[in-house]
């Protein structure tokens, strides 16, 4: 701030005609994450704005300042290794609210909130190019690989998870198109409580844990597979942090785990790497954010979410969850085969 103040003083003392705004030019901003597992693809296309007379904070809430008028033409093209166009999909502009998509609140206008959509299925064997033609006939493009479904080795719904070791290792097949992974775990159980009337009420509950984020594909491959070790103590700590309300609980009956492995393309990894690199006490300067949009700004990448549903715990693990000092206060029931079920023997 001191440096900026000094520079402004220096420039103002040299000339009264100094202008911080360059000549106006159209800048298109594109954000899209293709997902071959979805039934619809959505891409956001906006325009940047700048006014010499009005604060950007006053312009941002005005929807007309965010969108091309008339609307831009948006096409999604499937291309082969030689850049030959094999299929052209024209994306239709839709009001996101009508699609059940609600924009987060913030500085920018939330209504109307326009997106471009296609219901056509994607073929992960090919790249996809987006082409946006603005009302001024400027063409903005970007390309991305599309991530295909991949094999998950562990966890597997056919095999129960054991909590008896120090770690549980997740393992799945890597893909060249993937740069980073996230994983979410959903813990499902029935909770038996004493109602104010004194009656026993049982209701299903689910709690979510983001097991990891931005796991680097390249550094996580071992013997040809991506591996991640989940620390069991960390899992127990998560349960204790999220299930502290035990006063009226009689028992909690474990039902299953649901896992979602979210894979992000190499473009998304680079975007995250550049964004994270700009924060920290050792950063020497503020860098421009990463963009892979030719002729504009933003990000065009892909993702895929692998679902592994209804994974059970072994009977020994159910007894551990119920009886171990680390989790006994959470009142999980022991395994049905335990002689003291639902208590501990």
């Amino acid at each position: 701030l001191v440096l900026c103040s000094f520079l402004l003083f220096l420039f103002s003392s040299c000339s009264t005609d100094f202008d911080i705004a360059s000549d106006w030019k159209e800048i298109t901003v594109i954000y899209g994450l293709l997902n071959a597992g979805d039934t619809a693809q959505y891409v956001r296309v906006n325009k940047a704005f700048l006014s010499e007379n009005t604060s950007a904070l006053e312009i941002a809430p005005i929807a007309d300042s965010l969108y091309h008028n008339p609307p831009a033409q948006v096409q999604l093209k499937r291309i082969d290794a030689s850049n030959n166009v094999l299929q052209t999909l024209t994306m239709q502009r839709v009001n996101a609210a009508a699609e059940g998509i609600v924009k987060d609140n913030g500085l920018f206008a939330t209504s109307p909130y326009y997106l471009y959509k296609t219901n056509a299925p994607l073929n992960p064997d090919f790249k996809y190019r987006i082409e946006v033609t603005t009302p001024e006939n400027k063409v903005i493009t970007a390309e991305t690989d599309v991530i295909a479904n991949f094999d998950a080795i562990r966890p597997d719904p056919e095999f129960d998870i054991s909590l008896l070791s120090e770690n549980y290792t997740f393992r799945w097949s890597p893909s060249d198109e993937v740069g980073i992974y996230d994983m979410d775990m959903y813990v499902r159980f029935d909770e038996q409580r004493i109602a104010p009337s004194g009656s026993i009420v049982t209701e299903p509950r689910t709690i979510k844990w983001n097991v990891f984020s931005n796991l680097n594909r390249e550094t996580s491959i071992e013997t040809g597979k991506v591996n991640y070790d989940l620390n069991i103590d960390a899992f127990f700590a998560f349960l204790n942090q999220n299930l502290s309300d035990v006063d009226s609980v009689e028992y909690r009956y474990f039902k299953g785990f649901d896992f979602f492995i979210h894979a992000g393309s190499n473009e998304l990894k680079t975007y995250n790497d550049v964004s994270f690199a700009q924060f920290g006490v050792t950063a020497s300067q503020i860098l421009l954010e990463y963009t892979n949009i030719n002729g504009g700004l933003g990000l065009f990448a892909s993702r895929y979410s692998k679902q592994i549903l209804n994974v059970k715990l072994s009977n020994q693990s159910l007894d551990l969850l119920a009886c171990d000092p680390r989790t006994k206060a959470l009142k999980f029931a022991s395994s049905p085969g335990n002689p003291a079920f639902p208590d501990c023997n």
Side-chain angles (χ1 to χ4, degrees):
L1 289 174
V2 173
L3 177 60
C4 290
S5 300
F6 171 75
L7 291 175
L8 287 174
F9 170 80
L10 177 62
F11 283 125
S12 62
S13 65
C14 297
S15 171
T16 58
D17 299 325
F18 176 69
D19 188 357
I20 63 170
S22 62
D23 292 339
W24 181 88
K25 65 177 181 178
E26 179 185 83
I27 300 176
T28 297
V29 184
I30 300 172
Y31 281 99
L33 290 176
L34 301 183
N35 190 336
D38 285 347
T39 57
Q41 309 299 321
Y42 294 93
V43 175
R44 191 177 79 194
V45 178
N46 298 118
K47 62 179 182 177
F49 56 85
L50 179 64
S51 171
E52 294 183 3
N53 302 314
T54 306
S55 166
L57 296 176
E58 295 181 39
I59 299 175
I62 303 173
D64 288 346
S65 67
L66 306 180
Y67 303 105
H68 294 285
N69 188 22
Q73 180 189 63
V74 180
Q75 293 182 321
L76 195 60
K77 298 186 177 184
R78 177 161 57 92
I79 57 177
D80 62 18
S82 301
N83 279 328
N84 297 311
V85 177
L86 306 179
Q87 181 187 26
T88 298
L89 306 170
T90 298
M91 305 188 77
Q92 304 298 320
R93 192 173 84 157
V94 297
N95 193 326
E99 303 288 314
I101 301 172
V102 179
K103 186 178 183 299
D104 291 340
N105 291 325
L107 293 175
F108 295 94
T110 58
S111 181
Y113 176 36
Y114 292 119
L115 298 171
Y116 286 83
K117 173 188 178 183
T118 178
N119 289 319
L122 302 181
N123 188 332
D125 294 333
F126 298 90
K127 281 191 171 187
Y128 279 80
R129 176 191 302 146
I130 191 168
E131 291 189 2
V132 175
T133 304
T134 72
E136 289 76 17
N137 290 319
K138 182 180 178 182
V139 179
I140 300 94
T141 65
E143 294 181 5
T144 184
D145 293 308
V146 174
I147 300 172
N149 191 5
F150 52 92
D151 294 328
I153 301 166
R154 295 185 74 191
D156 184 336
E158 298 297 321
F159 299 94
D160 296 339
I161 286 179
S162 173
L163 304 177
L164 304 184
S165 300
E166 181 180 352
N167 298 305
Y168 177 84
T169 301
F170 296 104
R171 185 175 296 115
W172 61 91
S173 299
S175 172
D176 290 339
E177 293 77 25
V178 177
I180 53 174
Y181 296 96
D182 291 358
M183 177 183 281
D184 292 325
M185 171 198 288
Y186 293 83
V187 184
R188 293 184 289 104
F189 54 93
D190 286 344
E191 189 169 83
Q192 194 175 83
R193 286 181 171 271
I194 304 175
S197 62
S199 61
I200 301 297
V201 177
T202 301
E203 60 180 7
R205 283 194 61 189
T206 301
I207 55 175
K208 175 186 174 182
W209 186 24
N210 176 231
V211 180
F212 57 79
S213 295
N214 300 317
L215 181 70
N216 190 315
R217 169 191 172 273
E218 292 183 0
T219 59
S220 303
I221 293 180
E222 182 180 336
T223 63
K225 304 298 180 184
V226 180
N227 293 273
Y228 180 83
D229 290 334
L230 172 67
N231 182 268
I232 301 304
D233 280 338
F235 171 61
F236 286 166
F238 160 76
L239 292 178
N240 279 287
Q241 291 168 4
N242 289 270
L243 296 176
S244 58
D245 52 333
V246 296
D247 291 344
S248 63
V249 174
E250 287 287 286
Y251 295 102
R252 289 175 168 134
Y253 296 91
F254 176 83
K255 290 299 181 182
F257 293 120
D258 295 329
F259 297 93
F260 292 79
I261 305 174
H262 308 291
S265 65
N266 291 297
E267 297 90 352
L268 187 57
K269 177 184 181 300
T270 305
Y271 178 84
N272 282 350
D273 288 347
V274 172
S275 297
F276 293 151
Q278 298 187 57
F279 295 95
V281 295
T282 59
S284 60
Q285 59 182 333
I286 300 299
L287 305 174
L288 292 176
E289 287 192 1
Y290 168 81
T291 179
N292 66 335
I293 310 298
N294 299 312
L297 299 172
L299 175 69
F300 185 61
S302 68
R303 60 182 174 176
Y304 190 89
S305 294
K306 177 76 175 183
Q307 302 181 21
I308 308 149
L309 306 178
N310 203 29
V311 183
K312 304 297 186 180
L313 279 174
S314 67
N315 285 335
Q316 287 179 305
S317 297
L318 288 173
D319 289 338
L320 179 71
L321 192 62
C323 307
D324 189 275
R326 292 170 292 179
T327 52
K328 187 173 183 178
L330 301 180
K331 299 184 179 179
F332 277 97
S334 58
S335 67
N338 190 312
F341 174 82
D343 297 314
C344 296
N345 56 12

